[in-house]
Amino acid sequence: MPLQRRLPKRGFTNIHRKDYNIINVRELNRFGPEFVLDTEALKEAGLIRKVRHGIKLLGNGEIHHPVVVKVHKVSRTAKRKIEGVGGKVDFI
């Protein structure tokens, strides 16, 4: 058997990868209207433990009241859903 088939295959580990904390829009319904969600408020609520490289907001689910969200990244659908109910998305 040739040597390249006998040796184990090794993968690639990107040392510059950014590891974001993921939060979905449906998880924001537990907060009241006009509530300001920043990193400290998300930690107290138990949605994140520690901020690695940032917080990213994704658009899974629905939101029923306006909130102000301060995150590092946001998807287009999440921004559209939050602004659709009268909320606001700020970037850190």
Side-chain angles (χ1 to χ4, degrees):
M1 186 179 298
L3 180 64
Q4 72 268 16
R5 289 182 63 191
R6 286 183 282 163
L7 294 176
K9 292 182 173 48
R10 307 271 178 187
F12 173 76
T13 303
N14 186 359
I15 60 171
H16 302 292
R17 177 182 173 192
K18 297 196 184 245
D19 194 18
Y20 289 96
N21 293 327
I22 303 296
I23 297 175
N24 287 308
V25 170
R26 69 173 167 250
E27 297 169 352
L28 304 180
N29 282 323
R30 68 171 76 175
F31 301 101
E34 301 298 327
F35 195 81
V36 178
L37 296 167
D38 55 353
T39 55
E40 294 301 320
L42 294 171
K43 279 183 187 177
E44 290 175 9
L47 291 176
I48 59 173
R49 290 191 179 164
K50 65 177 183 175
V51 178
R52 298 180 196 126
H53 289 103
I55 301 169
K56 184 168 185 179
L57 182 64
L58 299 180
N60 292 342
E62 294 295 327
I63 188 162
H64 305 292
H65 53 273
V67 292
V68 178
V69 182
K70 296 182 180 183
V71 292
H72 296 90
K73 282 190 162 194
V74 64
S75 68
R76 255 184 265 143
T77 57
K79 187 173 183 179
R80 186 175 60 229
K81 286 180 182 180
I82 290 175
E83 291 176 350
V85 295
K88 184 178 175 187
V89 177
D90 291 332
F91 294 99
I92 299 175

